[in-house]
């Protein structure tokens, strides 16, 4: 049986911190003293972030939320003020067969958020990969693709229209090439080049479906300086200039203890996006441990990366949300051995958790 360590009593720690000690009178004195010490040692990130006018969040996986893992559901609700469905609102989950929609997974995430006073970033309406086979292998004409995209975007956005928990939508995800060249900026996929203006169309149709929701473009490796960051900037600048309804940019921030953009470059990038009138979110941060040195050295570098990226976000009022792609190493797309998140596999807060808390103080 795995050792749960401090994470095994996390729920009692935060419960005692927020509502008073409700433990049975007969509890052993040693455990009572331990819990009291731990209560004061574990800050609540969402409370600290709210004082800075910032949402702080995590991706939430439908299967983890509904698995019965009470440590997961307790910490997710206690620590974070905004969540992003990891897969539950992607095309394969919401339209697995053409014009046959399913919202059960996404609804479960929204219901969880409502129960915990959280906002939800809808993710995502249009992506070039991980689509259902009927879409990827349909060999549709441009006219058919346009009709399919319009129907999907409008149906999904309309389903969640009026849900006050929904803060925004990632309308288009990861469209820019990793090595953009003049005249060859966008990735080739099921949408492009068959439907060359699919990005504009997706945003326009999302706006038509819900004029009051914030609409984001989301991408990776565009957080600091470089060709891809410049290409994303030029893309959204052009959209703004042409009147395409875009409200913000999501900077994913999948980095490592051995590499991340400099804080100065991230601040400069946030600033130029803000000058376009756009909101900025850090949307999918994780910091895998792949550098050299001892475990402790790697964990400290990881903590420094989280801290510097949060400081970059806090440097500009246009940066309104800071999210990691999950929060526990137990559940991460990178694999638990990469240890990329704020809590370890036993739900113990790691140095990077405390570096975030310190930065928010």
């Amino acid at each position: 049986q795995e050792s749960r360590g401090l994470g095994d009593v996390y729920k009692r720690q935060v419960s005692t911190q927020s509502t008073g000690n409700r433990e049975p009178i007969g509890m052993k004195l040693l455990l009572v003293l331990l819990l009291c010490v731990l209560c004061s040692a574990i800050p609540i990130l969402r409370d600290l972030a709210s004082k800075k006018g910032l949402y702080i969040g995590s991706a939430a996986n439908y299967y983890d939320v509904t698995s019965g893992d009470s440590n997961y559901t307790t910490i997710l609700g206690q620590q974070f003020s905004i969540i992003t469905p990891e897969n539950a609102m992607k095309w394969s989950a919401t339209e697995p067969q053409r014009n046959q929609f399913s919202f059960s997974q996404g609804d479960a995430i929204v219901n969880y958020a409502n129960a915990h006073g959280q906002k939800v970033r809808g993710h995502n309406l249009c992506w070039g990969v991980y689509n259902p086979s009927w879409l990827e292998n349909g060999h549709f004409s441009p006219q058919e693709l346009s009709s399919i995209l319009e129907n999907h975007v409008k149906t999904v956005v309309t389903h969640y229209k009026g849900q006050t928990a929904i803060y925004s939508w990632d309308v288009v995800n990861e469209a820019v090439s990793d090595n953009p060249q003049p005249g060859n900026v966008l990735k080739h996929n099921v949408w492009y080049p068959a439907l060359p203006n699919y990005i504009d169309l997706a945003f326009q149709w999302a706006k038509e479906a819900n004029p009051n929701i914030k609409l984001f473009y989301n991408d990776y490796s565009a957080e600091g300086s470089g060709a891809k960051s410049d290409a994303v900037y030029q893309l959204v600048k052009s959209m703004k200039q042409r009147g395409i309804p875009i409200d913000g940019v999501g900077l994913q921030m999948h980095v490592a203890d051995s590499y991340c953009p400099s804080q100065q470059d991230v601040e400069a990038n946030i600033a130029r996006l803000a000058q376009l009138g756009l909101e900025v979110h850090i949307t999918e941060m994780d910091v895998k441990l792949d550098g050299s040195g001892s475990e402790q050295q790697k964990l400290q570098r990881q903590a420094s990366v989280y801290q510097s990226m949060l400081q970059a976000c806090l440097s500009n009022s246009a940066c309104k949300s800071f999210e990691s792609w999950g929060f526990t190493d137990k559940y991460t797309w990178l694999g638990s051995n990469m240890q990329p998140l704020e809590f370890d596999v036993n739900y113990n807060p790691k140095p990077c958790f405390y570096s975030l808390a310190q930065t928010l103080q």
Side-chain angles (χ1 to χ4, degrees):
Q1 185 175 12
E2 70 175 7
S3 170
R4 291 188 178 275
L6 302 184
D8 192 33
V9 293
Y10 180 93
K11 295 193 298 296
R12 284 171 286 176
Q13 298 166 28
V14 294
S15 176
T16 304
Q17 182 176 342
S18 59
T19 63
N21 192 343
R22 297 176 180 175
E23 296 295 329
I25 296 174
M27 176 169 284
K28 293 180 181 179
L29 177 60
L30 180 60
L31 183 55
V32 172
L33 292 174
L34 175 62
L35 289 176
C36 289
V37 170
L38 292 174
C39 288
S40 61
I42 300 181
I44 303 299
L45 295 180
R46 65 186 291 176
D47 292 346
L48 297 173
S50 68
K51 296 175 182 177
K52 301 282 189 179
L54 181 73
Y55 288 105
I56 193 156
S58 167
N61 188 288
Y62 164 77
Y63 295 102
D64 301 332
V65 168
T66 59
S67 68
D69 185 342
S70 57
N71 279 323
Y72 179 91
T73 54
T74 297
I75 296 174
L76 181 67
Q78 288 277 359
Q79 287 290 345
F80 303 106
S81 55
I82 193 167
I83 57 177
T84 298
E86 188 171 353
N87 297 305
M89 292 181 179
K90 291 176 181 174
W91 202 302
S92 291
T94 54
E95 194 180 357
Q97 300 296 328
R98 186 173 181 181
N99 208 31
Q100 295 180 14
F101 288 86
S102 174
F103 297 106
S104 58
Q105 293 187 19
D107 290 352
I109 299 291
V110 172
N111 290 339
Y112 176 90
N114 282 326
H116 293 84
Q118 296 168 315
K119 294 294 186 181
V120 176
R121 297 188 78 261
H123 176 84
N124 57 64
L125 298 173
C126 180
W127 194 11
V129 295
Y130 298 110
N131 290 309
S133 59
W134 71 262
L135 177 58
E136 288 287 352
N137 303 319
H139 306 291
F140 298 109
S141 69
Q143 292 76 18
E144 289 173 316
L145 284 174
S146 178
S147 177
I148 289 168
L149 182 59
E150 180 179 11
N151 182 55
H152 181 84
V153 169
K154 289 185 174 180
T155 300
V156 175
V157 173
T158 299
H159 176 80
Y160 290 103
K161 184 178 180 180
Q163 285 274 7
T164 57
I166 302 293
Y167 181 88
S168 62
W169 278 102
D170 288 334
V171 179
V172 175
N173 195 49
E174 301 177 3
V176 172
S177 171
D178 291 341
N179 185 28
Q181 303 292 330
N184 189 24
V185 172
L186 300 182
K187 293 176 179 175
H188 287 222
N189 53 40
V190 66
W191 307 111
Y192 186 85
L195 195 61
N197 61 334
Y198 81 96
I199 297 176
D200 289 358
L201 292 173
F203 276 85
Q204 289 168 333
W205 289 327
K207 190 69 170 181
E208 289 176 18
N210 187 353
N212 299 316
I213 200 71
K214 294 184 179 184
L215 306 178
F216 277 67
Y217 175 78
N218 188 55
D219 215 329
Y220 63 90
S221 298
E223 300 86 4
S225 62
K228 185 167 183 178
S229 176
D230 289 345
V232 169
Y233 172 77
Q234 292 299 333
L235 171 69
V236 297
K237 180 181 179 181
S238 172
M239 292 172 69
K240 288 287 288 184
Q241 290 174 337
R242 292 181 290 109
I244 304 301
I246 180 172
D247 301 294
V249 173
L251 305 176
Q252 292 185 13
M253 200 70 71
H254 295 293
V255 293
D257 72 304
S258 62
Y259 166 76
C260 74
S262 72
Q263 181 177 335
Q264 181 179 6
D265 284 348
V266 176
E267 288 180 1
N269 193 33
I270 292 173
R272 67 174 177 172
L273 292 168
Q275 289 172 355
L276 297 177
L278 294 171
E279 192 170 316
V280 179
H281 292 181
I282 306 300
T283 54
E284 304 184 18
M285 187 167 183
D286 43 36
V287 185
K288 63 184 178 182
L289 300 186
D290 66 358
S292 60
S294 68
E295 185 83 352
Q296 189 60 32
Q297 288 173 326
K298 290 189 283 187
L299 288 171
Q300 289 302 323
R301 286 200 301 268
Q302 180 184 60
S304 296
V305 172
Y306 270 101
Q307 184 174 50
S308 63
M309 295 303 100
L310 178 56
Q311 287 172 337
C313 180
L314 291 171
S315 72
N316 196 305
S317 61
C319 189
K320 297 186 182 300
S321 180
F322 185 93
E323 272 190 89
S324 53
W325 203 239
F327 67 89
T328 170
D329 295 338
K330 185 176 181 179
Y331 305 120
T332 166
W333 72 291
L334 292 169
S336 296
N337 60 311
M338 289 289 98
Q339 304 175 60
L341 297 168
E342 302 98 313
F343 289 78
D344 69 17
V345 294
N346 296 317
Y347 295 103
N348 301 311
K350 292 163 57 181
C352 58
F353 170 87
Y354 290 107
S355 73
L356 293 177
Q358 180 183 10
T359 305
L360 292 169
Q361 294 285 353

